[in-house]
Amino acid sequence: MKLHTNIAIMAVCIVLGIILAWQYKSIDYNTRAASLQNKRVEELKDELIRAKKENENLAQRNEELETRNREFEAAKGTISKTTELLNEELQRARTIAGLTDVRGKGVVVTLDHNEFSFVDDLNILEVLNELRASDAQAISINDERIVANSEVRVAGRYIMINGKQMLAPFVIKAIAEPQKVEHALKMLGGVVERLEEYYNVQVDVKASDFINIPKVKDDGTVIKTDLLTPVK
Amino acid sequence: MRIGNNQFILLIIFMFLGLTFTIQIRSNIKVNMQKPSSVQAAEDLKRQIEEENAEIELLKQKIKDNEEKNEAFLKAAVDYRGDEELNNRLQILDIIKLKAGLTDVKGAGVTIKLDDAAIRVHENPNLLIIHDRDVISVINELKRAGAQAISINGERLLSTSEQVCAGPTIRINKKRYATPYIINAIGDPDQLMEELNKSGQIAMLIEDNIRVEITKMSEITIPKYSGNIENLITGLEVLER
């Protein structure tokens, strides 16, 4: 009789073991299904935020255009008003193209090497990208204005920017919200840390209320448009 | 009354069983309760996203119309005056806008398609995706080869355009795009191809199984910058002589 009982208990334990294993799988599945659902909701929330942001930007742009249109309509009469508006458009386009000297609040980032390192094109480009990501509105490197098609090229010991040869130190000026840029550059794992730790590049970041950035040379050597055909 | 050994074991076993059933049932109830509420939330969000997208399409169309009106008005205002000086200025404006990236342009060039690795060929998932520096490097190479206009996924690159990668998406001109990244560049196609073919960065990408397709094009159209123009210059004080 003892044997019967033992076998019975063994049988029950086996069944129990199976049930436990089954239950574990089931709960694991349930938890994953639940978290997948939540993830889906989170992703949708992000998508909604992005859509709303784009909407906002577009609405602003539209508003900008409608204001201009109203101004133009009003200007049809007077030559002075037309001239004024035309000049405004011109100055705006010139500023965006980098064809005007500008001034504003911003930062000065100086990159230099020590005896064992070398500041290369990618180092400079990473800094430029970080500045742009922080909404820099104008940038210059050693007083060369950076425009849309400015390249950073390694040429022997030199770095060439806008066709001009340069050596370290590279003084990069940017007009942007000083605190925002400084924070972005200096954050943990950010550009400054990476350049100093992995590339042995010395980085100095200084905020300033008066950053002067010169215009780009307009002699066709930097901004080239001969291969572009405007689409009407 | 003494509880025998066997009965004690059975007691434990059944307690365990009871515990097991309780946990199972609770877990099931929890999941079932979450299901309808999160499904509801998802439905809700989807509907809102659709509304926003419809609005976005509407605004894009309005902007296109307003931009056309804008140019027409300016031209009409100048024509109306019949003033040669103003006409000259208007023509200069067109040239400057071309230089500024504020005009749709077309020309010969190349198109590059970058996509994440198709399969998990690496242990390190970091090597499977495209990074900022990859895109930045390719763009720089195009500029070195004389590209005169560049766009990524339809976004015109200006001097202020950032390229920030995060996972499988890239942020350009404040907008997010998913892979694949299509880079268009107008320039001398042969010069561009030569530079890209010698590119160390691109060779590295291909080695890491990032999918890279480069095609010479006899004509590509690159759109103008489509963001807020005012936002580009709010912090700038123009110093004119």
Side-chain angles (χ1 to χ4, degrees):
Chain A
M1 193 155 60
K2 241 201 164 166
L3 187 60
H4 278 293
T5 329
N6 282 346
I7 290 177
I9 290 176
M10 189 179 80
V12 172
C13 284
I14 289 174
V15 171
L16 192 66
I18 293 173
I19 291 179
L20 272 174
W22 184 18
Q23 163 168 327
Y24 174 75
K25 275 192 104 170
S26 159
I27 291 186
D28 187 46
Y29 174 79
N30 281 348
T31 335
R32 269 189 287 132
S35 81
L36 206 68
Q37 269 289 22
N38 285 339
K39 189 169 157 212
R40 181 80 186 116
V41 169
E42 286 307 311
E43 280 174 356
L44 285 175
K45 278 193 192 157
D46 282 340
E47 202 181 316
L48 184 59
I49 290 176
R50 264 182 275 142
K52 282 197 167 155
K53 193 97 207 287
E54 191 177 343
N55 222 328
E56 209 183 289
N57 282 340
L58 288 175
Q60 257 186 4
R61 171 95 182 109
N62 194 36
E63 183 58 43
E64 185 181 56
L65 286 168
E66 291 195 343
T67 312
R68 275 211 165 251
N69 283 345
R70 282 194 291 269
E71 285 176 351
F72 284 140
E73 196 147 40
K76 251 198 318 226
T78 53
I79 192 166
S80 63
K81 189 71 178 152
T82 310
T83 314
E84 188 188 309
L85 287 175
L86 189 46
N87 284 343
E88 262 176 43
E89 288 283 305
L90 266 168
Q91 199 191 75
R92 249 177 14 156
R94 289 176 64 225
T95 306
I96 292 171
L99 294 166
T100 55
D101 294 328
V102 288
R103 175 167 69 197
K105 287 196 283 206
V107 296
V108 181
V109 181
T110 310
L111 301 179
D112 206 349
H113 59 81
N114 55 35
E115 359 168 357
F116 305 111
S117 63
F118 183 68
V119 178
D120 73 6
D121 50 354
L122 278 180
N123 298 146
I124 295 177
L125 288 172
E126 267 198 60
V127 173
L128 285 185
N129 199 43
E130 194 63 60
L131 291 170
R132 289 167 171 149
S134 310
D135 298 328
Q137 297 187 335
I139 303 174
S140 72
I141 303 182
N142 288 6
D143 285 327
E144 269 302 314
R145 179 68 167 270
I146 299 299
V147 291
N149 57 340
S150 291
E151 90 286 17
V152 177
R153 172 209 300 268
V154 173
R157 307 183 291 126
Y158 297 99
I159 298 270
M160 277 183 55
I161 298 179
N162 290 353
K164 194 161 140 202
Q165 284 177 334
M166 298 178 187
L167 287 172
F170 297 99
V171 179
I172 306 175
K173 295 188 193 168
I175 294 180
E177 180 54 43
Q179 281 184 359
K180 183 172 174 181
V181 180
E182 244 191 310
H183 177 79
L185 290 169
K186 289 181 173 172
M187 70 180 176
L188 228 54
V191 175
V192 174
E193 191 180 285
R194 274 202 311 272
L195 288 180
E196 289 184 334
E197 303 266 317
Y198 297 134
Y199 296 96
N200 264 310
V201 171
Q202 292 161 355
V203 186
D204 180 75
V205 179
K206 257 193 209 36
S208 166
D209 276 350
F210 293 105
I211 305 278
N212 278 310
I213 292 185
K215 60 179 175 283
V216 69
K217 274 196 297 275
D218 192 19
D219 54 3
T221 57
V222 182
I223 304 182
K224 297 188 187 154
T225 54
D226 51 304
L227 299 175
L228 302 176
T229 309
V231 173
K232 268 300 151 218
Chain B
M1 197 171 43
R2 245 188 86 242
I3 305 179
N5 269 345
N6 290 346
Q7 285 156 323
F8 189 68
I9 292 172
L10 281 174
L11 174 71
I12 303 289
I13 290 173
F14 283 123
M15 267 175 61
F16 222 50
L17 211 65
L19 199 72
T20 306
F21 281 147
T22 316
I23 294 175
Q24 177 74 46
I25 290 170
R26 285 187 73 182
S27 158
N28 277 356
I29 290 179
K30 185 158 151 218
V31 168
N32 283 332
M33 272 203 320
Q34 261 190 344
K35 247 204 310 228
S37 83
S38 64
V39 164
Q40 183 60 38
E43 292 298 309
D44 222 19
L45 285 168
K46 273 193 214 163
R47 191 184 41 86
Q48 283 183 298
I49 289 174
E50 256 162 60
E51 277 174 17
E52 293 291 323
N53 282 342
E55 181 82 24
I56 285 174
E57 285 312 303
L58 213 71
L59 280 172
K60 279 189 181 167
Q61 187 56 42
K62 273 197 196 164
I63 286 174
K64 188 164 180 296
D65 293 339
N66 277 331
E67 278 175 351
E68 276 168 31
K69 264 201 208 162
N70 205 283
E71 288 192 20
F73 269 140
L74 190 53
K75 196 161 189 308
V78 170
D79 273 348
Y80 184 75
R81 302 308 314 174
D83 189 282
E84 196 177 321
E85 167 76 33
L86 283 183
N87 264 311
N88 282 342
R89 292 253 179 103
L90 195 59
Q91 285 180 355
I92 293 177
L93 179 61
D94 282 340
I95 296 175
I96 309 262
K97 282 172 82 166
L98 186 64
K99 291 183 181 176
L102 298 172
T103 317
D104 293 337
V105 287
K106 63 182 179 201
V110 297
T111 180
I112 306 174
K113 182 169 146 180
L114 295 178
D115 209 343
D116 295 335
I119 44 172
R120 293 189 69 92
V121 292
H122 289 287
E123 283 302 308
N124 181 2
N126 223 12
L127 290 173
L128 295 169
I129 58 175
I130 302 166
H131 296 275
D132 295 348
R133 57 172 180 272
D134 301 324
V135 177
I136 294 171
S137 206
V138 170
I139 300 292
N140 190 46
E141 275 155 14
L142 289 169
K143 293 180 188 178
R144 286 198 326 228
Q148 297 187 355
I150 305 176
S151 72
I152 306 180
N153 287 29
E155 289 295 330
R156 182 67 169 271
L157 295 192
L158 300 185
S159 62
T160 50
S161 299
E162 81 283 19
Q163 296 121 51
V164 178
C165 294
T169 64
I170 190 171
R171 192 189 96 198
I172 307 163
N173 293 343
K174 309 281 175 298
K175 299 203 205 108
R176 282 221 165 264
Y177 294 90
T179 48
Y181 306 147
I182 314 277
I183 302 174
N184 285 335
I186 296 178
D188 178 333
D190 295 320
Q191 220 177 319
L192 294 171
M193 288 299 283
E194 198 189 308
E195 186 78 34
L196 293 170
N197 285 335
K198 321 189 274 195
S199 159
Q201 202 74 17
I202 292 195
M204 269 202 294
L205 285 177
I206 296 178
E207 228 180 76
D208 282 337
N209 279 94
I210 299 289
R211 291 176 280 178
V212 183
E213 271 172 50
I214 306 176
T215 321
K216 240 202 271 202
M217 304 281 279
S218 58
E219 187 176 282
I220 317 182
T221 303
I222 292 185
K224 62 178 176 287
Y225 177 77
S226 59
N228 271 356
I229 312 272
E230 276 308 318
N231 279 354
L232 292 176
I233 51 178
T234 46
L236 304 178
E237 185 197 325
V238 178
L239 306 170
E240 293 282 56
R241 251 170 290 112

